[in-house]
Amino acid sequence: PEGSLFYKNMSFSAVQARGSVLDKSVTVEPLTCTFAGGILTGSLDIEPAALPKTTSTLLNLQLIDAGFLKSMEQLGHLTQDPDKFVRNFARAGAEGRMDATLSLKVSQNTIDWSGAGHLSFRQAKLGQIHLLGGLSKLLQSLGLGFTSLDLNNGYVDWTIADDTLNVSNSLFTGTL
């Protein structure tokens, strides 16, 4: 079946999923929907644990060609201050597109998250680095913008384990 899904104020549309239940474990695969103008595919496994009312969820997701700012607006609902989270990107004039992969295990009723992922973005206008500080802004106002770097493209590889987020590899590029 196809439909819409809302989770913590995040909107997923054109949801298509098939699922199965085996020994109290629930598997949803394949899962396909649209998210922030991109295509989200993957699988979801929910397994009961030994303790009552405790389950673990394994997410394997891939997001292709989503709107960067729209994604951040949606994902901001997972933070403690969604408005502040989105303002940071909107102030920089963020736009562009993004792709992401995610493999994450989440245990409910405990703080036990583990997994890894990759995020890449293009033409995102994340902000500027002024190589000469305030002097760069002055030179830019005079039409000499070669001392400021516009951060537009990049990627981040990350892992999470033991309540620690580790960025193992990242690259941000831009134009002068």
Side-chain angles (χ1 to χ4, degrees), residues 63-159:
L63 180 62
I64 301 169
D65 200 35
F68 184 79
L69 185 56
K70 286 183 181 181
S71 296
M72 294 303 108
E73 288 170 348
Q74 295 279 338
L75 294 170
H77 293 292
L78 298 175
T79 67
Q80 291 180 344
D81 190 347
D83 293 332
K84 181 178 180 183
F85 181 81
V86 172
R87 269 195 316 270
N88 289 334
F89 290 102
R91 182 175 40 242
E95 51 184 52
R97 310 301 290 175
M98 67 177 269
D99 302 314
T101 58
L102 166 74
S103 179
L104 186 64
K105 182 178 181 180
V106 179
S107 296
Q108 277 107 21
N109 299 334
T110 64
I111 303 175
D112 181 21
W113 290 42
S114 61
H118 176 84
L119 168 68
S120 64
F121 50 90
R122 58 200 173 280
Q123 300 167 349
K125 294 187 180 178
L126 293 178
Q128 289 185 324
I129 295 176
H130 300 289
L131 302 175
L132 301 176
L135 183 57
S136 290
K137 291 180 182 181
L138 175 65
L139 292 171
Q140 189 171 14
S141 70
L142 297 172
L144 303 171
F146 60 87
T147 62
S148 295
L149 177 65
D150 294 321
L151 297 176
N152 297 322
N153 306 299
Y155 66 85
V156 176
D157 294 321
W158 58 268
T159 58

Coordinates of all heavy atoms in Angstrom, one line a residue, residues 63-159:
L63 N 19.1 7.9 1.2 CA 18.4 9.0 0.7 C 19.1 9.6 -0.5 O 20.3 9.8 -0.5 CB 18.4 10.1 1.8 CG 17.6 11.4 1.5 CD1 16.2 11.2 1.2 CD2 17.8 12.4 2.6
I64 N 18.4 9.8 -1.6 CA 19.0 10.2 -2.9 C 18.3 11.5 -3.3 O 17.1 11.7 -3.4 CB 18.8 9.2 -4.0 CG1 19.4 7.9 -3.5 CG2 19.4 9.6 -5.3 CD1 19.1 6.7 -4.4
D65 N 19.2 12.6 -3.6 CA 18.8 13.8 -4.2 C 17.7 14.6 -3.4 O 16.8 15.1 -4.0 CB 18.4 13.6 -5.6 CG 18.4 14.9 -6.4 OD1 19.3 15.7 -6.2 OD2 17.6 15.1 -7.3
A66 N 17.8 14.7 -2.1 CA 16.9 15.4 -1.3 C 17.3 16.9 -1.3 O 18.5 17.2 -1.4 CB 16.8 14.8 0.1
G67 N 16.3 17.8 -1.0 CA 16.6 19.2 -0.8 C 17.4 19.3 0.5 O 16.9 18.8 1.5
F68 N 18.5 20.0 0.5 CA 19.3 20.1 1.7 C 18.6 20.9 2.8 O 18.5 20.4 3.9 CB 20.7 20.8 1.4 CG 21.6 20.9 2.5 CD1 22.3 19.8 2.9 CD2 21.7 22.0 3.3 CE1 23.2 19.8 4.0 CE2 22.6 22.1 4.4 CZ 23.3 21.0 4.8
L69 N 18.1 22.1 2.5 CA 17.5 22.9 3.6 C 16.2 22.2 4.0 O 15.9 22.1 5.2 CB 17.2 24.3 3.1 CG 16.6 25.2 4.1 CD1 17.5 25.3 5.4 CD2 16.4 26.6 3.6
K70 N 15.4 21.6 3.1 CA 14.2 20.9 3.4 C 14.5 19.7 4.3 O 13.8 19.4 5.3 CB 13.4 20.4 2.2 CG 12.7 21.5 1.4 CD 12.0 20.9 0.2 CE 11.3 22.1 -0.5 NZ 10.5 21.5 -1.7
S71 N 15.6 19.0 4.0 CA 16.0 17.9 4.9 C 16.4 18.4 6.3 O 16.0 17.8 7.3 CB 17.2 17.2 4.3 OG 16.9 16.6 3.1
M72 N 17.1 19.5 6.4 CA 17.5 20.0 7.7 C 16.3 20.5 8.5 O 16.2 20.3 9.7 CB 18.5 21.1 7.5 CG 19.9 20.7 7.0 SD 20.7 19.4 7.9 CE 20.5 18.0 6.8
E73 N 15.3 21.1 7.8 CA 14.1 21.5 8.4 C 13.3 20.3 9.0 O 12.8 20.3 10.1 CB 13.1 22.2 7.4 CG 13.6 23.6 7.1 CD 12.8 24.2 5.9 OE1 12.1 23.5 5.2 OE2 13.0 25.4 5.7
Q74 N 13.3 19.2 8.3 CA 12.6 18.0 8.7 C 13.4 17.3 9.9 O 12.9 17.0 10.9 CB 12.5 17.0 7.6 CG 11.6 17.4 6.5 CD 10.1 17.2 6.8 OE1 9.7 16.4 7.7 NE2 9.2 17.9 6.1
L75 N 14.7 17.2 9.7 CA 15.6 16.5 10.7 C 15.7 17.3 12.0 O 16.0 16.8 13.1 CB 17.0 16.2 10.1 CG 17.0 15.2 9.0 CD1 18.3 15.1 8.3 CD2 16.5 13.8 9.5
G76 N 15.5 18.6 11.9 CA 15.6 19.5 13.0 C 14.6 19.1 14.1 O 14.8 19.4 15.3
H77 N 13.5 18.4 13.7 CA 12.5 18.0 14.7 C 13.0 17.0 15.6 O 12.4 16.7 16.7 CB 11.2 17.5 14.0 CG 10.5 18.6 13.2 ND1 9.8 19.6 13.8 CD2 10.3 18.8 11.9 CE1 9.3 20.4 12.9 NE2 9.6 19.9 11.8
L78 N 14.1 16.4 15.3 CA 14.7 15.4 16.2 C 15.6 16.0 17.3 O 16.1 15.4 18.2 CB 15.6 14.4 15.4 CG 14.8 13.5 14.4 CD1 15.7 12.7 13.6 CD2 13.7 12.7 15.1
T79 N 15.9 17.3 17.2 CA 16.7 18.0 18.1 C 16.0 18.7 19.2 O 14.7 18.8 19.2 CB 17.6 19.1 17.4 OG1 16.7 20.2 16.9 CG2 18.3 18.6 16.2
Q80 N 16.7 19.1 20.2 CA 16.0 19.8 21.4 C 15.4 21.1 21.0 O 14.5 21.6 21.6 CB 17.0 19.9 22.5 CG 17.3 18.6 23.2 CD 18.3 18.7 24.3 OE1 18.9 19.7 24.5 NE2 18.4 17.7 25.1
D81 N 16.0 21.8 20.1 CA 15.6 23.2 19.7 C 15.5 23.2 18.1 O 16.4 23.7 17.5 CB 16.6 24.2 20.2 CG 16.0 25.6 20.0 OD1 15.0 25.8 19.3 OD2 16.6 26.6 20.6
P82 N 14.4 22.7 17.5 CA 14.3 22.6 16.1 C 14.4 24.0 15.4 O 15.1 24.1 14.4 CB 12.9 22.0 15.9 CG 12.6 21.3 17.1 CD 13.3 22.1 18.2
D83 N 13.8 25.0 16.0 CA 13.9 26.3 15.4 C 15.3 26.8 15.2 O 15.7 27.4 14.2 CB 13.0 27.3 16.1 CG 11.5 27.0 16.0 OD1 11.1 26.4 15.0 OD2 10.8 27.4 16.9
K84 N 16.1 26.7 16.3 CA 17.5 27.1 16.3 C 18.3 26.3 15.3 O 19.1 26.9 14.6 CB 18.1 27.0 17.7 CG 19.5 27.5 17.8 CD 20.1 27.3 19.2 CE 21.5 27.8 19.2 NZ 22.1 27.6 20.6
F85 N 18.1 25.0 15.2 CA 18.8 24.1 14.3 C 18.5 24.6 12.9 O 19.5 24.8 12.1 CB 18.2 22.7 14.5 CG 18.9 21.7 13.6 CD1 20.1 21.2 13.9 CD2 18.3 21.3 12.4 CE1 20.8 20.2 13.1 CE2 18.9 20.3 11.6 CZ 20.1 19.8 12.0
V86 N 17.3 24.9 12.5 CA 17.0 25.3 11.1 C 17.5 26.7 10.9 O 18.0 27.0 9.8 CB 15.5 25.2 10.9 CG1 15.1 25.8 9.5 CG2 15.0 23.7 10.9
R87 N 17.4 27.6 11.8 CA 17.9 29.0 11.7 C 19.3 29.0 11.3 O 19.8 29.9 10.5 CB 17.7 29.8 12.9 CG 16.4 30.6 13.0 CD 16.3 31.6 14.1 NE 16.9 31.2 15.4 CZ 16.2 30.6 16.4 NH1 14.9 30.4 16.2 NH2 16.8 30.3 17.5
N88 N 20.1 28.2 11.9 CA 21.6 28.1 11.5 C 21.8 27.9 10.1 O 22.7 28.5 9.4 CB 22.3 27.1 12.4 CG 22.4 27.5 13.8 OD1 22.4 28.7 14.1 ND2 22.5 26.5 14.7
F89 N 21.0 27.0 9.5 CA 21.2 26.7 8.0 C 20.5 27.8 7.2 O 21.0 28.2 6.2 CB 20.6 25.3 7.7 CG 21.4 24.2 8.2 CD1 21.0 23.5 9.4 CD2 22.6 23.8 7.6 CE1 21.7 22.5 9.9 CE2 23.3 22.8 8.2 CZ 22.9 22.1 9.3
A90 N 19.3 28.3 7.6 CA 18.6 29.3 6.8 C 19.4 30.6 6.8 O 19.5 31.3 5.7 CB 17.2 29.5 7.4
R91 N 20.1 30.9 7.9 CA 20.9 32.2 7.9 C 22.0 32.1 6.9 O 22.3 33.1 6.3 CB 21.4 32.4 9.3 CG 22.2 33.6 9.5 CD 22.6 33.9 10.9 NE 23.1 32.8 11.7 CZ 22.5 32.3 12.8 NH1 21.4 32.9 13.3 NH2 23.0 31.3 13.4
A92 N 22.6 31.0 6.7 CA 23.7 30.8 5.8 C 23.2 30.8 4.3 O 24.0 30.8 3.4 CB 24.5 29.6 6.1
G93 N 21.8 30.7 4.1 CA 21.3 30.7 2.8 C 21.4 29.3 2.2 O 21.5 29.1 1.0
A94 N 21.4 28.3 3.1 CA 21.6 26.9 2.6 C 20.6 26.5 1.6 O 19.4 26.8 1.8 CB 21.6 25.9 3.8
E95 N 21.0 25.8 0.6 CA 20.1 25.2 -0.4 C 20.8 24.0 -0.9 O 21.4 23.3 -0.2 CB 19.7 26.2 -1.4 CG 20.9 26.9 -2.1 CD 20.5 28.0 -3.0 OE1 19.7 28.9 -2.7 OE2 20.9 28.0 -4.2
G96 N 20.6 23.7 -2.2 CA 21.3 22.6 -2.8 C 20.6 21.2 -2.5 O 19.5 21.2 -2.1
R97 N 21.4 20.2 -2.8 CA 20.9 18.8 -2.7 C 21.8 18.0 -1.8 O 22.9 18.3 -1.6 CB 20.8 18.2 -4.1 CG 20.1 19.0 -5.2 CD 18.7 19.4 -4.9 NE 17.8 18.2 -4.9 CZ 16.5 18.3 -4.6 NH1 16.0 19.4 -4.2 NH2 15.8 17.2 -4.6
M98 N 21.2 16.8 -1.4 CA 22.0 16.0 -0.5 C 21.7 14.5 -0.8 O 20.6 14.2 -1.2 CB 21.9 16.3 0.9 CG 20.5 16.0 1.5 SD 20.4 16.4 3.3 CE 20.9 14.8 3.9
D99 N 22.7 13.6 -0.5 CA 22.5 12.2 -0.5 C 23.0 11.7 0.9 O 23.9 12.3 1.5 CB 23.3 11.5 -1.6 CG 23.0 12.1 -3.0 OD1 21.8 12.2 -3.3 OD2 23.9 12.4 -3.7
A100 N 22.4 10.6 1.3 CA 22.9 10.1 2.6 C 22.6 8.5 2.7 O 21.7 8.0 2.1 CB 22.1 10.7 3.8
T101 N 23.5 7.9 3.4 CA 23.3 6.5 3.8 C 23.4 6.4 5.3 O 24.1 7.1 5.9 CB 24.3 5.5 3.1 OG1 25.6 5.9 3.5 CG2 24.2 5.5 1.6
L102 N 22.6 5.4 5.8 CA 22.5 5.3 7.3 C 22.3 3.8 7.6 O 21.4 3.2 7.1 CB 21.4 6.1 7.8 CG 20.9 5.9 9.2 CD1 21.9 6.5 10.2 CD2 19.5 6.5 9.4
S103 N 23.1 3.3 8.5 CA 22.9 2.0 9.2 C 23.0 2.2 10.7 O 24.0 2.5 11.2 CB 23.9 1.0 8.7 OG 23.7 -0.3 9.3
L104 N 21.8 2.1 11.3 CA 21.8 2.5 12.7 C 20.9 1.5 13.5 O 19.9 1.1 13.1 CB 21.1 3.9 12.8 CG 21.0 4.6 14.2 CD1 22.4 4.9 14.7 CD2 20.2 5.9 14.1
K105 N 21.5 1.1 14.7 CA 20.7 0.3 15.6 C 20.4 1.1 16.8 O 21.2 1.7 17.5 CB 21.6 -0.9 16.1 CG 20.8 -1.8 17.0 CD 21.6 -3.0 17.4 CE 20.8 -4.0 18.3 NZ 21.6 -5.2 18.7
V106 N 19.1 1.2 17.1 CA 18.6 2.0 18.3 C 17.8 1.0 19.2 O 17.0 0.3 18.8 CB 17.6 3.1 17.8 CG1 17.1 3.9 18.9 CG2 18.3 3.9 16.7
S107 N 18.2 1.0 20.5 CA 17.5 0.3 21.5 C 16.7 1.2 22.3 O 17.1 2.1 22.9 CB 18.5 -0.5 22.4 OG 19.3 -1.4 21.7
Q108 N 15.4 0.9 22.3 CA 14.4 1.8 23.1 C 14.6 1.4 24.5 O 15.0 0.4 24.9 CB 13.0 1.5 22.6 CG 12.6 2.3 21.4 CD 12.5 1.5 20.2 OE1 12.3 0.3 20.2 NE2 12.6 2.1 19.0
N109 N 14.3 2.4 25.4 CA 14.3 2.3 26.8 C 15.8 2.3 27.3 O 16.0 2.1 28.5 CB 13.5 1.2 27.4 CG 12.1 1.3 27.1 OD1 11.6 2.4 26.9 ND2 11.4 0.2 27.0
T110 N 16.7 2.3 26.5 CA 18.1 2.5 26.9 C 18.8 3.5 25.9 O 18.3 3.7 24.8 CB 18.9 1.1 26.8 OG1 18.9 0.7 25.4 CG2 18.2 0.0 27.6
I111 N 19.9 4.0 26.3 CA 20.6 4.9 25.4 C 21.7 4.1 24.8 O 22.9 4.0 25.3 CB 21.2 6.1 26.2 CG1 20.1 6.9 26.9 CG2 22.0 7.0 25.3 CD1 20.5 8.0 27.8
D112 N 21.3 3.3 23.8 CA 22.3 2.4 23.1 C 22.1 2.6 21.6 O 21.3 1.9 21.0 CB 22.0 1.0 23.6 CG 23.0 0.0 23.0 OD1 24.1 0.4 22.5 OD2 22.7 -1.2 22.9
W113 N 22.8 3.5 21.0 CA 22.7 3.7 19.6 C 24.1 3.3 19.0 O 25.1 3.6 19.6 CB 22.5 5.2 19.3 CG 21.2 5.7 19.6 CD1 20.4 5.4 20.7 CD2 20.4 6.6 18.8 NE1 19.2 6.1 20.7 CE2 19.2 6.8 19.5 CE3 20.6 7.2 17.6 CZ2 18.2 7.6 19.0 CZ3 19.6 8.0 17.1 CH2 18.4 8.2 17.8
S114 N 24.1 2.6 17.9 CA 25.3 2.3 17.2 C 25.0 2.3 15.8 O 23.9 2.0 15.3 CB 25.9 1.0 17.7 OG 25.0 -0.1 17.4
G115 N 26.0 2.7 15.0 CA 25.9 2.6 13.5 C 26.9 3.5 12.8 O 27.8 4.0 13.4
A116 N 26.6 3.7 11.5 CA 27.5 4.5 10.7 C 26.7 5.1 9.6 O 25.6 4.7 9.3 CB 28.6 3.6 10.1
G117 N 27.3 6.1 8.9 CA 26.6 6.7 7.8 C 27.5 7.6 7.0 O 28.7 7.8 7.4
H118 N 26.9 8.1 5.9 CA 27.7 9.0 5.0 C 26.7 10.0 4.5 O 25.5 9.7 4.2 CB 28.2 8.2 3.8 CG 28.8 9.0 2.7 ND1 30.1 9.4 2.8 CD2 28.3 9.6 1.6 CE1 30.4 10.1 1.7 NE2 29.3 10.2 1.0
L119 N 27.1 11.3 4.5 CA 26.3 12.4 4.1 C 27.1 13.2 3.1 O 28.2 13.5 3.3 CB 25.9 13.3 5.3 CG 25.3 14.7 4.9 CD1 23.9 14.5 4.4 CD2 25.3 15.5 6.2
S120 N 26.5 13.4 1.9 CA 27.2 14.3 0.9 C 26.2 15.3 0.5 O 25.0 15.1 0.5 CB 27.7 13.4 -0.3 OG 26.6 12.9 -1.0
F121 N 26.7 16.5 0.2 CA 25.9 17.6 -0.2 C 26.6 18.4 -1.4 O 27.8 18.4 -1.5 CB 25.5 18.5 0.9 CG 26.7 19.0 1.7 CD1 27.4 20.1 1.4 CD2 27.2 18.2 2.8 CE1 28.6 20.5 2.1 CE2 28.3 18.6 3.5 CZ 29.0 19.7 3.2
R122 N 25.7 19.0 -2.2 CA 26.3 19.8 -3.3 C 25.4 21.0 -3.5 O 24.2 21.0 -3.3 CB 26.3 18.9 -4.6 CG 24.9 18.4 -5.0 CD 25.0 17.2 -5.9 NE 23.7 16.5 -6.1 CZ 23.1 15.7 -5.3 NH1 23.7 15.4 -4.1 NH2 22.0 15.2 -5.6
Q123 N 26.1 22.1 -3.9 CA 25.5 23.4 -4.1 C 24.7 23.8 -2.8 O 23.6 24.4 -3.0 CB 24.7 23.4 -5.3 CG 25.5 23.1 -6.6 CD 24.6 22.8 -7.8 OE1 23.4 22.6 -7.7 NE2 25.2 22.7 -8.9
A124 N 25.2 23.5 -1.6 CA 24.4 23.7 -0.4 C 24.6 25.1 0.2 O 23.8 25.4 1.1 CB 24.8 22.7 0.6
K125 N 25.5 25.9 -0.2 CA 25.7 27.2 0.4 C 25.7 27.2 1.9 O 24.8 27.8 2.5 CB 24.7 28.2 -0.2 CG 24.8 28.5 -1.6 CD 23.9 29.6 -2.1 CE 24.0 29.9 -3.6 NZ 23.1 30.9 -4.0
L126 N 26.6 26.5 2.5 CA 26.6 26.3 4.0 C 27.1 27.6 4.7 O 26.9 27.8 5.8 CB 27.5 25.1 4.3 CG 26.9 23.8 3.9 CD1 27.9 22.7 4.4 CD2 25.6 23.6 4.6
G127 N 27.9 28.4 4.0 CA 28.4 29.6 4.6 C 29.7 30.0 4.0 O 30.1 29.5 2.9
Q128 N 30.4 30.9 4.6 CA 31.7 31.4 4.1 C 32.8 31.3 5.2 O 32.5 31.5 6.3 CB 31.5 32.9 3.6 CG 30.7 33.1 2.4 CD 30.8 34.5 2.0 OE1 30.8 35.4 2.8 NE2 30.8 34.8 0.7
I129 N 34.0 31.2 4.7 CA 35.1 31.3 5.5 C 35.9 32.5 5.0 O 36.3 32.6 3.8 CB 36.1 30.1 5.5 CG1 35.3 28.9 6.1 CG2 37.4 30.4 6.3 CD1 36.1 27.6 6.0
H130 N 36.0 33.6 5.8 CA 36.7 34.8 5.4 C 38.2 34.6 5.8 O 38.6 34.6 7.0 CB 36.1 36.0 6.1 CG 34.7 36.2 5.8 ND1 34.3 36.6 4.5 CD2 33.6 36.0 6.5 CE1 32.9 36.7 4.5 NE2 32.5 36.3 5.7
L131 N 39.0 34.4 4.8 CA 40.4 34.0 5.0 C 41.2 35.1 5.7 O 42.2 34.8 6.4 CB 41.1 33.7 3.7 CG 40.4 32.5 2.9 CD1 41.1 32.3 1.6 CD2 40.5 31.2 3.7
L132 N 40.8 36.4 5.6 CA 41.4 37.5 6.2 C 40.5 38.2 7.2 O 40.7 39.3 7.5 CB 41.9 38.5 5.2 CG 42.9 38.0 4.1 CD1 43.2 39.0 3.1 CD2 44.1 37.4 4.7
G133 N 39.6 37.4 7.8 CA 38.7 38.0 8.8 C 37.9 39.1 8.3 O 37.3 39.1 7.2
G134 N 37.8 40.2 9.1 CA 37.0 41.4 8.7 C 37.5 42.1 7.4 O 36.8 42.7 6.7
L135 N 38.8 42.0 7.2 CA 39.4 42.5 5.9 C 38.8 41.8 4.7 O 38.6 42.5 3.7 CB 40.9 42.4 6.0 CG 41.7 43.0 4.8 CD1 41.4 44.5 4.6 CD2 43.2 42.8 4.9
S136 N 38.5 40.6 4.8 CA 37.9 39.9 3.7 C 36.5 40.5 3.3 O 36.2 40.6 2.2 CB 37.7 38.4 4.0 OG 38.9 37.7 4.0
K137 N 35.7 40.8 4.4 CA 34.4 41.4 4.2 C 34.6 42.7 3.5 O 33.8 43.1 2.6 CB 33.7 41.5 5.5 CG 33.2 40.2 6.1 CD 32.5 40.4 7.4 CE 32.1 39.0 8.0 NZ 31.4 39.2 9.2
L138 N 35.5 43.5 3.9 CA 35.8 44.8 3.3 C 36.2 44.7 1.8 O 35.6 45.3 0.9 CB 36.9 45.6 4.0 CG 37.3 46.9 3.4 CD1 36.1 47.9 3.4 CD2 38.5 47.5 4.2
L139 N 37.1 43.8 1.5 CA 37.5 43.5 0.2 C 36.4 43.0 -0.7 O 36.2 43.4 -1.9 CB 38.7 42.5 0.1 CG 40.0 43.1 0.7 CD1 41.0 42.0 0.8 CD2 40.5 44.2 -0.1
Q140 N 35.5 42.2 -0.1 CA 34.4 41.6 -0.8 C 33.4 42.8 -1.2 O 32.8 42.8 -2.3 CB 33.7 40.6 0.0 CG 32.6 39.8 -0.7 CD 32.1 38.6 0.1 OE1 32.3 38.5 1.3 NE2 31.4 37.7 -0.6
S141 N 33.2 43.7 -0.3 CA 32.3 44.8 -0.6 C 32.8 45.7 -1.7 O 32.1 46.4 -2.3 CB 32.0 45.6 0.7 OG 33.2 46.3 1.1
L142 N 34.1 45.7 -1.9 CA 34.8 46.4 -3.0 C 34.9 45.7 -4.3 O 35.5 46.1 -5.2 CB 36.2 46.9 -2.5 CG 36.3 47.8 -1.3 CD1 37.7 48.0 -0.9 CD2 35.6 49.1 -1.7
G143 N 34.2 44.5 -4.3 CA 34.3 43.6 -5.5 C 35.5 42.7 -5.6 O 35.7 42.1 -6.6
L144 N 36.2 42.6 -4.5 CA 37.4 41.8 -4.5 C 37.2 40.6 -3.6 O 37.7 40.5 -2.5 CB 38.7 42.6 -4.1 CG 39.0 43.8 -4.9 CD1 40.1 44.6 -4.2 CD2 39.4 43.4 -6.3
G145 N 36.3 39.7 -4.0 CA 35.9 38.6 -3.2 C 36.8 37.4 -3.1 O 36.3 36.4 -2.6
F146 N 38.0 37.5 -3.6 CA 38.9 36.4 -3.6 C 39.4 35.9 -2.3 O 40.2 35.0 -2.2 CB 40.0 36.6 -4.6 CG 40.9 37.8 -4.2 CD1 42.0 37.6 -3.4 CD2 40.6 39.0 -4.8 CE1 42.8 38.7 -3.0 CE2 41.4 40.1 -4.4 CZ 42.5 39.9 -3.6
T147 N 39.1 36.6 -1.2 CA 39.6 36.3 0.1 C 38.6 35.6 1.0 O 38.8 35.3 2.2 CB 40.2 37.5 0.9 OG1 39.1 38.4 1.1 CG2 41.3 38.1 0.1
S148 N 37.4 35.2 0.4 CA 36.4 34.5 1.1 C 36.1 33.2 0.3 O 36.0 33.2 -0.9 CB 35.1 35.3 1.2 OG 35.3 36.4 2.0
L149 N 36.0 32.1 1.1 CA 35.7 30.8 0.5 C 34.2 30.5 0.8 O 33.8 30.4 2.0 CB 36.6 29.8 1.1 CG 36.4 28.3 0.7 CD1 36.7 28.1 -0.7 CD2 37.3 27.4 1.6
D150 N 33.4 30.2 -0.3 CA 32.1 29.8 -0.1 C 32.0 28.3 0.0 O 32.5 27.6 -0.9 CB 31.2 30.2 -1.4 CG 31.1 31.7 -1.5 OD1 30.9 32.4 -0.4 OD2 31.1 32.2 -2.6
L151 N 31.5 27.8 1.1 CA 31.4 26.3 1.3 C 30.2 25.8 0.6 O 29.0 26.1 1.1 CB 31.4 26.0 2.8 CG 32.7 26.4 3.6 CD1 32.5 26.1 5.0 CD2 33.9 25.6 3.0
N152 N 30.3 25.0 -0.4 CA 29.2 24.6 -1.2 C 29.0 23.1 -1.3 O 27.9 22.6 -1.4 CB 29.3 25.1 -2.6 CG 29.2 26.6 -2.7 OD1 28.5 27.3 -1.9 ND2 30.0 27.2 -3.6
N153 N 30.1 22.4 -1.3 CA 30.0 20.9 -1.5 C 30.8 20.2 -0.4 O 31.7 20.8 0.2 CB 30.7 20.6 -2.9 CG 30.0 21.4 -4.0 OD1 28.8 21.2 -4.2 ND2 30.8 22.2 -4.6
G154 N 30.5 18.9 -0.2 CA 31.3 18.2 0.7 C 30.7 16.9 1.1 O 29.6 16.5 0.6
Y155 N 31.3 16.2 2.0 CA 30.8 14.9 2.6 C 31.3 14.7 4.0 O 32.3 15.3 4.4 CB 31.1 13.7 1.7 CG 32.6 13.4 1.6 CD1 33.2 12.6 2.5 CD2 33.4 13.9 0.6 CE1 34.6 12.3 2.5 CE2 34.7 13.7 0.5 CZ 35.3 12.8 1.4 OH 36.7 12.6 1.4
V156 N 30.6 13.9 4.7 CA 31.0 13.5 6.1 C 30.7 12.0 6.2 O 29.6 11.5 5.9 CB 30.2 14.3 7.1 CG1 30.5 13.9 8.5 CG2 30.4 15.8 7.0
D157 N 31.7 11.3 6.7 CA 31.5 9.9 7.1 C 31.5 9.9 8.7 O 32.4 10.5 9.3 CB 32.7 9.0 6.6 CG 32.7 8.9 5.1 OD1 31.6 8.8 4.5 OD2 33.8 8.9 4.6
W158 N 30.6 9.1 9.3 CA 30.5 9.2 10.7 C 30.1 7.8 11.3 O 29.6 6.9 10.6 CB 29.5 10.2 11.2 CG 28.1 10.0 10.6 CD1 27.6 10.5 9.4 CD2 27.0 9.1 11.1 NE1 26.3 10.1 9.2 CE2 26.0 9.2 10.2 CE3 26.9 8.3 12.2 CZ2 24.8 8.5 10.5 CZ3 25.7 7.7 12.5 CH2 24.7 7.8 11.6
T159 N 30.4 7.6 12.5 CA 30.0 6.4 13.3 C 29.5 6.9 14.6 O 29.8 8.0 15.1 CB 31.1 5.4 13.5 OG1 32.2 6.1 14.2 CG2 31.7 4.9 12.2

